Amino acid sequence: MVAFDRVESYVARMGPAWLAGAIAAGPATMASLVTAGAGFGYALLWIVVLSAGLGALSQYLAMRLGLLTEAGIVSVVEERLGSGWAWLLVADTVLASGLAQLVIMKTVADVSATVTGLDARLWAVCWGLVLAAGLAGGGYRIAELGAKVLVSLVVLAFVASLLVVPVDVPAAATGLVPGIPAGVDGALVAAGILGGAVHITLVTMHSYTMRARGWTREEYGLATFDIGASMLAAFGVYSLGIFLVAATVLHDPSVSAGGLTATAAAQALGPLVGEHAKWLFLLGLWGAAVSTLGGNTVVPPYLLADKLGWERDVSDPRYRGAIVVTALAGIGGVFVGGQFFPLLVLTLAFGLVGTPFALALVLYLLNDGEAVPERTPTATNVGGVVLIAVTAITAGAFLREQVAGGFDPITLFVLLFAVALGVATLFLLALFVRERLAGDDPAVSSAD
């Protein structure tokens, strides 16, 4: 009875991890899952399953750092490692979330244009203004609530479709064997799926959302339950439902990551809702994009405010101004060339490239006796190392295939970005090993 009462109390107080889950369950993840199923059948089921577990683990590591330090991640990095490391983390996060902002805004504008017949550029301006005014003034909740209702309907439609479509269970079971289909598409889609769950924006923002709720180390059990219910359970069901339906209904080896459109992807819901599939899917994609925009817009302002010593609240005009700038800057996404559906997958893959560095920082600080006096369990450290290794290997496979496909300005930028963060991660590892061999805890003076 006591355990039931505790669970009931936890359910009533959940929150921060669900915000991360809402962003993770955005249009880019939906696009990656549908593209994976359509192009490769059940072959990538293993990474769909793995992504939910690793996503929960990354949130747990970030949660542990946030609760035990009771501070934002950027301020902890600056205090323990110095300003340069803090700025590198801010730059990494801003680049990843900035690209996501542009592509998600393009998605919202294009889908709004398809539904209404009005120009996408007009919709981009409208949504940019709604974001700026709503998030800076606190009036965005109604739009986001409506968007979440639409997302929930589409997720339920995918889950219900599992009862209608003939999932080939033996074939699906073979997809649990790890392996990435050869070529750029296979690596891109695998990186997109994993990047949807283990993304630098989700890792960095978690400490701030917990602080906004006033959580401290006293809420450790609640925060752990929050992650398990949102990322492991809810996000896991979301991912499996979409992937299995897409793999069963849409699988066609001729489908490429760059060729699948939202209209074609909508046919995954055909067996359940028939001729209404296109509009239901587009509305769900639109809702996911609107909901994700709200969470993504506050990420750069949170980190900048923490780095520059601002209040992370709209009562501070500097923070409010950063939100407005971020929201309005997203309007430029409507001018990004190409179809938004494949661009969404590429966005997550790019974000995954910057994620191992952020995870390495979190793990380093968790083992810094002055930052976190409580010893980190061995199992947590092992899980963290595995998480960094899996994200790095998946991101590396994506980069290798991109480079093999030829150089262009975007590929060159992503490669330089990856090299810079890879060098920083290796330097951080060397610093950690040196300090442990010396028998000292990491200190600011040793890394500044």
Side-chain angles (χ1 to χ4, degrees):
M1 188 64 181
V2 174
F4 177 80
D5 290 342
R6 177 176 294 179
V7 170
E8 188 176 33
S9 172
Y10 282 174
V11 170
R13 298 162 60 199
M14 289 188 302
W18 287 87
L19 177 59
I23 295 176
T29 299
M30 189 181 296
S32 297
L33 292 166
V34 172
T35 302
F40 304 106
Y42 302 110
L44 288 172
L45 177 59
W46 68 275
I47 204 164
V48 175
V49 174
L50 188 65
S51 68
L54 293 183
L57 176 58
S58 69
Q59 289 297 294
Y60 176 77
L61 294 175
M63 174 275 288
R64 184 175 172 83
L65 180 65
L67 286 189
L68 297 183
T69 60
E70 297 187 4
I73 185 172
V74 171
S75 59
V76 178
V77 169
E78 181 161 19
E79 179 184 349
R80 300 304 307 144
L81 288 165
S83 182
W85 288 93
W87 274 122
L88 185 57
L89 176 62
V90 170
D92 185 9
T93 308
V94 168
L95 282 172
S97 62
L99 176 61
Q101 190 78 2
L102 292 172
V103 175
I104 295 172
M105 180 62 84
K106 177 180 176 65
T107 302
V108 172
D110 285 359
V111 174
S112 298
T114 300
V115 172
T116 64
L118 298 177
D119 194 285
R121 292 168 294 184
L122 176 62
W123 274 114
V125 173
C126 289
W127 279 112
L129 293 174
V130 167
L131 272 177
L135 292 175
Y140 182 70
R141 292 183 180 274
I142 294 178
E144 186 162 3
L145 177 61
K148 288 178 179 176
V149 170
L150 288 172
V151 178
S152 299
L153 288 175
V154 172
V155 173
L156 288 175
F158 271 107
V159 173
S161 294
L162 289 176
L163 303 176
V164 179
V165 300
V167 175
D168 188 338
V169 177
T174 64
L176 293 173
V177 179
I180 297 178
V184 175
D185 280 358
L188 171 62
V189 174
I193 293 173
L194 187 58
V198 187
H199 197 278
I200 184 170
T201 57
L202 305 180
V203 174
T204 54
M205 75 179 293
H206 199 53
S207 61
Y208 301 109
T209 52
M210 289 190 303
R211 296 300 298 151
R213 288 290 294 269
W215 286 8
T216 66
R217 62 182 64 203
E218 298 300 321
E219 280 78 28
Y220 196 95
L222 169 61
T224 304
F225 180 86
D226 191 37
I227 292 169
S230 61
M231 288 300 297
L232 191 60
F235 180 77
V237 170
Y238 165 92
S239 300
L240 278 174
I242 293 175
F243 174 79
L244 289 175
V245 171
T248 303
V249 177
L250 299 179
H251 178 43
D252 181 350
S254 66
V255 172
S256 67
L260 187 66
T261 66
T263 302
Q267 300 313 307
L269 292 175
L272 184 71
V273 295
E275 61 184 14
H276 304 294
K278 173 185 174 181
W279 296 110
L280 179 60
F281 183 81
L282 285 177
L283 286 174
L285 193 67
W286 176 85
V290 171
S291 181
T292 302
L293 267 180
N296 193 76
T297 300
V298 302
V299 173
Y302 262 141
L303 271 70
L304 284 172
D306 195 16
K307 179 67 184 72
L308 299 174
W310 304 344
E311 292 294 328
R312 295 187 296 275
D313 186 89
V314 292
S315 61
D316 190 322
R318 297 167 298 184
Y319 174 76
R320 188 167 62 248
I323 285 181
V324 171
V325 169
T326 304
L328 296 181
I331 295 173
V334 75
F335 299 105
V336 175
Q339 293 286 328
F340 67 81
F341 209 73
L343 284 173
L344 287 168
V345 182
L346 182 62
T347 296
L348 289 184
F350 175 74
L352 185 66
V353 170
T355 300
F357 170 68
L359 292 171
L361 277 176
V362 170
L363 201 60
Y364 175 92
L365 293 170
L366 284 175
N367 288 277
D368 179 347
E370 294 190 31
V372 181
E374 184 176 313
R375 179 177 290 276
T376 300
T378 300
T380 301
N381 280 327
V382 171
V385 171
V386 170
L387 177 60
I388 294 171
V390 172
T391 53
I393 290 171
T394 307
F398 160 66
L399 283 172
R400 184 178 64 249
E401 295 298 340
Q402 286 292 113
V403 171
F407 277 96
D408 56 39
I410 294 178
T411 301
L412 181 60
F413 172 76
V414 174
L415 181 61
L416 293 175
F417 177 70
V419 169
L421 292 178
V423 170
T425 303
L426 291 175
F427 185 81
L428 190 65
L429 174 62
L431 178 64
F432 178 81
V433 171
R434 188 189 71 182
E435 288 162 346
R436 285 300 179 271
L437 290 177
D440 297 327
D441 282 326
V444 178
S445 59
S446 64
D448 207 305

